[in-house]
Amino acid sequence: MNDFLAARLQMAFSLGFHIIYACIGMVMPFFMAVAHYKWITTGNEVYRNITKAWSKGVAIFFATGAVSGTMLSFELGLLWPEFMKHAGPIFGMPFSLEGTAFFIEAIFLGFFLYGWGRFNTWFHWFTGVVVGISGLASGILVVSANAWMNSPAGFDFVDGQYLNIDPIQAMFNDAWFTQALHMTLAAIAATGFAVAGVHALMILRRKNVSFHLHAFRIAATFGAVAALLQPLSGDLSAKDVAVRQPAKLAAMEAHFHTQKHAPLIVGGIPDAKNKDVKFAIELPGMLSFLAHGDLDAEVTGLDQIPEADQPPVSVVHYAFQLMVGAGMFMMLLALMLFVAFRKKAWFEHRWFMRLFALATPLGFLAVEAGWTVTEVGRQPWILHGIMRTRDAVTPMPGIVWSFYLFTAVYISLSIIIIFLLKRQIQSVPALYDQPTLTPKS
């Protein structure tokens, strides 16, 4: 393994782990706030117990997210010094604001965790809401920085120099809104289905059924709403990518040949050598419609992109198909959930809870796949159209050992999280259990 590959793998592994911690950290506080609100307004102690249980989970993911995020900031300077030398002054603002949001989140999380019985009830609830808002803002600001890498703005690039820098324009670049919206909905859907899946599993095991059923409904509702809105966000993103990054769209769809009335590819195995896709289902004209809103519009293929500027087609295509497939399945579960709210007997059937339990990892698989599409689809550029990834890597030798070390740290963090969460779930008090709610076979 050479140092360039090791540097890319280190960033891939670091981002792959951190994105899970970050998504949960920016979404779970809203679940917690809803449960807290329901306790205040109804007086049902089950919601109080849910709030306290979820707040401990929020604290766990806040701590691990802080560690993994700090490591990522070091990695940017360690692995990509040439990139940071030029990019730092341009897109430093969203990172600075993200740090401010992080500190606000930390302060108000402390208020919330230690405010039980000490603050006014509604002020205590408000501190939890601030935790969610600041965490969400933190995530959006980081995505804004990544969007800038896909859509450089806020400077003039003249003779290798970065001139006339405008940090505000850089932060609000052409890609920031679509990426931030898509990522936010993805985080809500992934976290909602993951949390709902865990509670569904506990219901199937007939442990503290009332507690887990109330928690399941809150988490599943969040996940379902986000899953149903996600295709609208995906459509906006696809149209944006078609204009700004045609090579990425072509790789996503394994679209080798420029053509009008371009078909949408479902599945298939890309054959880069023969410029073809085997065993695929083609929907005539649909790619043209999704990319440009016109069934007969011309869609740029990889044949119009210099080979040196093409991303790896197979990786991007498979990741995109996985993301879409997982998203479609979550949409189906979302529709079933809303039917279940009308046919309440569904909540008592084991098959219904089994579906959600099986879907526990599905949202995060979609998130990882989507992030792969975003990052690998931009290659070979670290700053689209301006700086290649190879030109940004550090000349320092021995990066492979850094890759091993950082990977070990992230794996260790994940093991610790699994242990803490398992202990937290098992420690839920057996209060307010109602055996009549136990799912039927």
Side-chain angles (χ1 to χ4, degrees):
M1 183 188 303
N2 59 42
D3 287 336
F4 177 59
L5 178 59
R8 291 188 63 189
L9 286 175
Q10 183 172 326
M11 285 300 298
F13 271 73
S14 300
L15 286 166
F17 280 105
H18 177 70
I19 198 171
I20 296 176
Y21 311 149
C23 286
I24 297 174
M26 65 192 278
V27 174
M28 275 292 292
F30 291 106
F31 296 3
M32 179 181 76
V34 169
H36 196 183
Y37 176 82
K38 283 181 170 289
W39 172 60
I40 294 172
T41 55
T42 67
N44 189 336
E45 286 292 322
V46 172
Y47 289 119
R48 182 176 182 271
N49 292 333
I50 293 171
T51 305
K52 285 197 168 187
W54 278 349
S55 68
K56 293 177 182 178
V58 169
I60 291 170
F61 281 102
F62 176 82
T64 51
V67 172
S68 60
T70 301
M71 290 174 65
L72 272 171
S73 65
F74 282 117
E75 288 180 70
L76 283 172
L78 172 69
L79 302 176
W80 316 104
E82 188 64 23
F83 170 69
M84 292 303 295
K85 172 184 173 182
H86 300 290
I90 304 172
F91 80 145
M93 179 173 286
F95 278 123
S96 299
L97 294 175
E98 190 273 337
T100 302
F102 171 80
F103 283 120
I104 293 173
E105 184 181 8
I107 291 167
F108 278 85
L109 180 59
F111 284 165
F112 187 84
L113 292 175
Y114 296 101
W116 289 96
R118 295 180 175 88
F119 293 146
N120 170 274
T121 302
W122 284 107
F123 177 76
H124 186 215
W125 172 80
F126 173 73
T127 62
V129 174
V130 174
V131 172
I133 293 172
S134 54
L136 183 62
S138 180
I140 290 174
L141 287 164
V142 171
V143 171
S144 173
N146 179 265
W148 177 79
M149 297 167 70
N150 286 297
S151 179
F155 64 94
D156 294 324
F157 188 64
V158 181
D159 297 329
Q161 299 295 315
Y162 296 77
L163 308 174
N164 302 321
I165 293 172
D166 183 348
I168 299 296
Q169 187 182 0
M171 184 166 67
F172 296 107
N173 56 80
D174 290 342
W176 87 269
F177 176 75
T178 54
Q179 276 199 214
L181 178 63
H182 199 62
M183 187 66 235
T184 300
L185 289 174
I188 296 171
T191 305
F193 276 94
V195 174
V198 171
H199 289 292
L201 180 62
M202 300 307 291
I203 292 170
L204 288 168
R205 293 179 178 178
R206 303 182 181 182
K207 295 183 178 180
N208 311 318
V209 174
S210 181
F211 174 95
H212 290 292
L213 184 59
H214 282 78
F216 168 84
R217 291 189 182 200
I218 295 173
T221 300
F222 270 94
V225 171
L228 292 175
L229 292 175
Q230 191 67 299
L232 301 177
S233 166
D235 181 63
L236 289 175
S237 296
K239 287 178 168 57
D240 180 58
V241 169
V243 174
R244 290 186 302 95
Q245 295 176 293
K248 178 184 287 187
L249 180 69
M252 288 161 57
E253 290 293 338
H255 185 60
F256 290 102
H257 306 288
T258 301
Q259 64 184 103
K260 295 181 178 180
H261 198 67
L264 181 70
I265 298 295
V266 179
I269 301 174
D271 183 352
K273 182 178 180 181
N274 296 313
K275 312 298 182 186
D276 192 18
V277 184
K278 299 177 180 178
F279 312 114
I281 299 172
E282 294 189 0
L283 305 178
M286 289 307 297
L287 180 58
S288 294
F289 180 76
L290 292 174
H292 301 292
D294 182 352
L295 287 169
D296 294 317
E298 182 176 270
V299 179
T300 302
L302 290 167
D303 57 351
Q304 296 296 312
I305 310 295
E307 191 169 341
D309 296 341
Q310 294 181 12
V313 177
S314 294
V315 174
V316 179
H317 178 71
Y318 292 140
F320 180 67
Q321 295 293 311
L322 174 60
M323 179 187 71
V324 172
M328 294 297 289
F329 187 76
M330 287 190 292
M331 283 182 63
L332 176 62
L333 284 183
L335 293 172
M336 292 176 66
L337 178 73
F338 290 117
V339 172
F341 281 129
R342 294 183 63 86
K343 298 183 177 181
K344 298 186 184 301
W346 281 21
F347 289 106
E348 300 178 26
H349 288 280
R350 297 182 68 83
W351 64 265
F352 184 71
M353 290 299 169
R354 281 198 189 103
L355 286 174
F356 277 89
L358 290 172
T360 301
L362 206 59
F364 284 109
L365 285 176
V367 167
E368 296 286 6
W371 198 253
T372 300
V373 171
T374 300
E375 298 303 288
V376 179
R378 188 179 62 243
Q379 299 306 313
W381 307 99
I382 191 170
L383 185 57
H384 181 66
I386 294 176
M387 180 183 292
R388 293 180 183 272
T389 308
R390 184 174 292 278
D391 297 331
V393 73
T394 178
M396 182 179 69
I399 293 299
V400 65
W401 297 108
S402 172
F403 164 63
Y404 293 144
L405 175 62
F406 275 71
T407 301
V409 170
Y410 278 108
I411 291 175
S412 300
L413 272 176
S414 299
I415 293 172
I416 292 170
I417 287 175
I418 292 170
F419 170 76
L420 291 174
L421 289 178
K422 182 179 179 182
R423 189 174 69 173
Q424 173 62 22
I425 293 169
Q426 290 175 339
S427 68
V428 171
L431 298 175
Y432 311 102
D433 201 9
Q434 299 178 22
T436 56
L437 295 176
T438 301
K440 301 174 183 177
S441 299

